[in-house]
Amino acid sequence: MSRKRVAMRKIKEILRLKYACGLSERQIAKSCQLGKSTVGEYLQRATAVGLSWPLPAELDEEALEAKLFARPLPPPSRLLPDWVEVQRELKRKGVTRFLLWQEYKERHPEGIAYPTFTVLYRKWLGQCDVVMRQEHKAGEKLFVDYAGMTLPIIDPGTGEVRQGQVFVATLGASNYTYAEVSWSQNLENWLASHRRALEFFGGVPELVVPDNLKVGVKSPCRYEPEANPSYAELAAHYGFAVLPTRVRKPRDKAKVETGVQVVERRILAALRKHTFFSIQEANEAVRVELSKLNEQPFQKLPGSRKSLFVELDQPALKPLPSQPFVLSQWQKARVNIDYHVETEGHYYSVPYHYAGQPVELRLTASTLEVFVKGKRIASHLKVAAIANHKGRHSTIPEHMPEAHRRYREWSPGRLIRWAQKIGQHTAQVVEHILASRPHPEQGYRSCLGIMRLAKSYPPQRVEAACRRAARLGAYSYKSIASILKHSLDQQPLADQAKNSQTTSSPHRNLRGADYYQREQ
């Protein structure tokens, strides 16, 4: 028995199972051990020539073959869908090829079967520009990357030529494109370019797809790439998800690479003979060429990038947040034993019980925040990174232990004012202790010790002890405590002119009482 006769018998079986038994094409294909597309083609040919089931008795196999295969596929063009419209509708959320085929069949019951619909659509799509060949849902994805080409910019003062880096962002459905020039590909420029791109589009997509740049992706991984903390913060602020392209997966990068290639050929190549002396000049020229690119009609499709953007992407984008994103950078640090963290040469306090723990620092232009496991534990106004502030401390009193807090409340002026209430000799001792140290703070403990003695002994005795210590040149807490302990303050002072002369001569490091009296 010939192969042709076997095929005719199967075609008869296909028609019987379809029209007599009501089976689906998939079930028929499984029953007849044929491909689903083959079953669809036979059914489509039978529909085109008006055959159903049962077949006419006079229709033998040769007549059936002649009837089915007399005219080639595809069917008349009037029955074919508008592939441009199909391609445009597929970009809308929730729209599938099967849905569009069903709508097509409602309009044209005699039209092509679904398998032929998909085959012919793929064939038409393959003849389109590569830019339009990919299918992306409206408002779904924004592809971002830096161009390989740069834009030379001349410093008018020195004549030095610097290479401006070109950031490119392309929406998936409409191919509407944004481009700008910045000095580098660092984190600050990367985040700022995203912010300006979203403002250019006037909305936020569901996904932003970057290449695995170090500035955007902290740890590239095929399955779980981790975004940079600052990049993740920007994504959370605007409400999009970051979906980095997979490593060594060219198809993931096709859209952004095509967008970059278009910018290089249509914009950067067009500006190759221009001379720029600032980033502002370069971006003004890029904006002009960018407008031409987005408004230029497609060669093989109706409309332009801008018209498709207005029709597809723009209505599907989420609104921008009411507040613009504040650029920030994250750093890892460890709290020092003095419960301060260091950044840019300055020290900022955190609650003292976090001493020794690892923390994360979030820095903006004006603030510094300290986080432990995602919880903010401290916030400071950021101190300008200038020489005068190098090595200095910004300390919030509530971050200090109780003992340190009490100690911090004292100052040279306050100590001297307290001593003057006891008497002039007590004030003289305190002034001498503060003035004889390279830094007054180094004498605080001695002065606070003398204050403590005033709680254990009457003020008159403390004043007498300080008078004796000053006469002897013994300016220290231990000397005064010893005098009081042994009641030497109650004994008359001998006339020691030599000691008196020694005491009256000023110490070479003494600043004088006026120095501290000026303190508030």
Side-chain angles (χ1 to χ4, degrees):
M1 188 178 295
S2 68
R3 182 179 301 177
K4 183 182 297 185
R5 180 164 297 181
V6 173
M8 289 302 104
R9 286 185 177 179
K10 286 199 173 184
I11 291 175
K12 288 183 178 181
E13 181 66 7
I14 288 170
L15 294 176
R16 185 187 71 82
L17 294 175
K18 176 66 177 178
Y19 297 110
C21 301
L23 298 185
S24 67
E25 292 182 8
R26 186 179 300 277
Q27 292 171 324
I28 296 171
K30 186 175 181 180
S31 175
C32 296
Q33 297 182 348
L34 294 172
K36 184 183 173 185
S37 60
T38 302
V39 171
E41 180 186 348
Y42 289 161
L43 288 173
Q44 181 217 338
R45 289 180 179 275
T47 301
V49 297
L51 290 177
S52 60
W53 190 264
L55 293 175
E58 68 276 7
L59 193 66
D60 59 13
E61 292 182 354
E62 290 184 2
L64 176 61
E65 179 185 359
K67 198 172 185 66
L68 288 177
F69 298 97
R71 67 174 82 180
L73 285 178
S77 59
R78 62 185 177 85
L79 299 181
L80 291 179
D82 182 350
W83 299 122
V84 174
E85 182 64 21
V86 170
Q87 195 265 350
R88 184 170 299 176
E89 288 297 316
L90 281 173
K91 294 179 181 294
R92 302 186 186 277
K93 291 183 179 179
V95 178
T96 63
R97 295 182 188 179
F98 188 75
L99 174 63
L100 295 177
W101 174 78
Q102 287 180 317
E103 295 174 350
Y104 158 76
K105 287 290 283 184
E106 289 176 1
R107 297 191 302 269
H108 305 285
E110 73 285 5
I112 60 178
Y114 178 66
T116 308
F117 180 94
T118 58
V119 169
L120 294 179
Y121 174 67
R122 289 195 190 101
K123 183 178 180 181
W124 174 86
L125 198 61
Q127 297 172 352
C128 296
D129 288 336
V130 67
V131 173
M132 301 303 301
R133 202 174 296 162
Q134 302 177 57
E135 294 179 7
H136 295 286
K137 298 300 180 182
E140 182 184 35
K141 292 181 181 179
L142 175 67
F143 297 82
V144 294
D145 200 0
Y146 282 100
M149 293 175 60
T150 56
L151 207 59
I153 301 175
I154 301 174
D155 187 327
T158 63
E160 177 188 3
V161 179
R162 297 180 62 183
Q163 300 299 323
Q165 306 297 314
V166 182
F167 174 86
V168 179
T170 304
L171 285 168
S174 63
N175 291 281
Y176 196 54
T177 301
Y178 173 77
E180 71 169 28
V181 186
S182 57
W183 280 125
S184 71
Q185 298 184 17
N186 63 15
L187 181 62
E188 183 177 356
N189 285 316
W190 172 255
L191 300 180
S193 293
H194 276 70
R195 175 174 56 81
R196 288 188 285 269
L198 295 176
E199 291 171 354
F200 173 81
F201 296 125
V204 181
E206 295 179 7
L207 299 170
V208 172
V209 184
D211 199 354
N212 279 279
L213 298 172
K214 289 184 179 179
V215 70
V217 180
K218 181 179 178 182
S219 55
C221 174
R222 179 175 180 178
Y223 302 105
E224 294 182 348
E226 182 181 355
N228 181 292
S230 299
Y231 197 22
E233 187 179 16
L234 178 136
H237 178 83
Y238 284 105
F240 64 79
V242 177
L243 184 66
T245 58
R246 295 171 295 175
V247 180
R248 293 186 293 276
K249 290 292 180 179
R251 289 186 179 181
D252 290 4
K253 307 177 185 180
K255 173 68 70 169
V256 67
E257 288 182 352
T258 302
V260 166
Q261 186 181 75
V262 168
V263 168
E264 290 178 344
R265 292 178 177 179
R266 304 279 187 88
I267 297 178
L268 301 185
L271 298 176
R272 69 190 186 280
K273 295 182 180 179
H274 289 64
T275 302
F276 302 106
F277 296 97
S278 68
I279 285 286
Q280 292 74 18
E281 286 184 16
N283 276 318
E284 288 175 5
V286 167
R287 278 192 290 270
V288 172
E289 297 299 326
L290 186 63
S291 179
K292 295 179 183 178
L293 169 65
N294 285 324
E295 295 176 4
Q296 182 178 6
F298 293 123
Q299 293 182 358
K300 297 183 180 181
L301 294 171
S304 63
R305 286 174 172 82
K306 185 172 184 179
S307 65
L308 278 183
F309 168 73
V310 173
E311 179 184 352
L312 297 174
D313 277 319
Q314 192 174 47
L317 294 175
K318 295 180 290 187
L320 292 168
S322 57
Q323 298 295 327
F325 177 68
V326 178
L327 296 178
S328 65
Q329 293 189 15
W330 289 79
Q331 297 178 1
K332 289 187 176 181
R334 185 174 292 275
V335 181
N336 293 325
I337 194 172
D338 64 351
Y339 50 88
H340 284 72
V341 292
E342 184 271 334
T343 180
E344 297 178 352
H346 194 85
Y347 296 86
Y348 299 88
S349 66
V350 303
Y352 68 92
H353 49 272
Y354 289 103
Q357 293 193 27
V359 295
E360 287 187 306
L361 310 181
R362 179 179 180 266
L363 295 91
T364 69
S366 58
T367 61
L368 170 105
E369 296 173 289
V370 186
F371 291 83
V372 172
K373 297 180 180 179
K375 177 185 176 182
R376 189 176 72 172
I377 62 171
S379 178
H380 292 266
L381 288 176
K382 191 176 174 184
V383 176
I386 57 178
N388 292 342
H389 293 281
K390 290 278 187 180
R392 293 195 178 185
H393 293 69
S394 293
T395 306
I396 297 176
E398 288 74 17
H399 292 168
M400 307 172 69
E402 186 66 26
H404 291 196
R405 199 179 307 172
R406 290 197 302 268
Y407 175 80
R408 182 180 174 83
E409 291 173 354
W410 292 96
S411 65
R414 185 178 178 187
L415 291 169
I416 292 172
R417 286 193 294 273
W418 167 84
Q420 288 174 339
K421 294 178 182 179
I422 302 296
Q424 62 175 355
H425 294 97
T426 305
Q428 180 184 352
V429 169
V430 168
E431 289 178 9
H432 192 283
I433 290 173
L434 295 173
S436 62
R437 304 297 200 275
H439 298 285
E441 290 83 353
Q442 295 174 341
Y444 280 12
R445 289 188 179 275
S446 294
C447 296
L448 292 174
I450 297 171
M451 288 181 63
R452 192 170 185 179
L453 291 174
K455 295 181 180 180
S456 303
Y457 298 93
Q460 297 83 359
R461 290 196 61 186
V462 175
E463 172 67 10
C466 288
R467 180 184 178 189
R468 178 177 288 274
R471 179 68 64 86
L472 296 173
Y475 295 98
S476 68
Y477 159 77
K478 290 183 178 180
S479 297
I480 297 171
S482 178
I483 291 172
L484 290 170
K485 180 179 180 180
H486 296 93
S487 301
L488 298 178
D489 57 291
Q490 298 177 353
Q491 297 181 11
L493 284 171
D495 185 13
Q496 302 175 6
K498 182 176 180 180
N499 288 340
S500 179
Q501 184 177 2
T502 304
T503 338
S504 61
S505 61
H507 190 281
R508 65 176 182 174
N509 290 331
L510 286 179
R511 295 172 175 83
D514 292 341
Y515 178 85
Y516 297 107
Q517 296 301 333
R518 292 193 298 268
E519 249 186 286
Q520 298 300 321

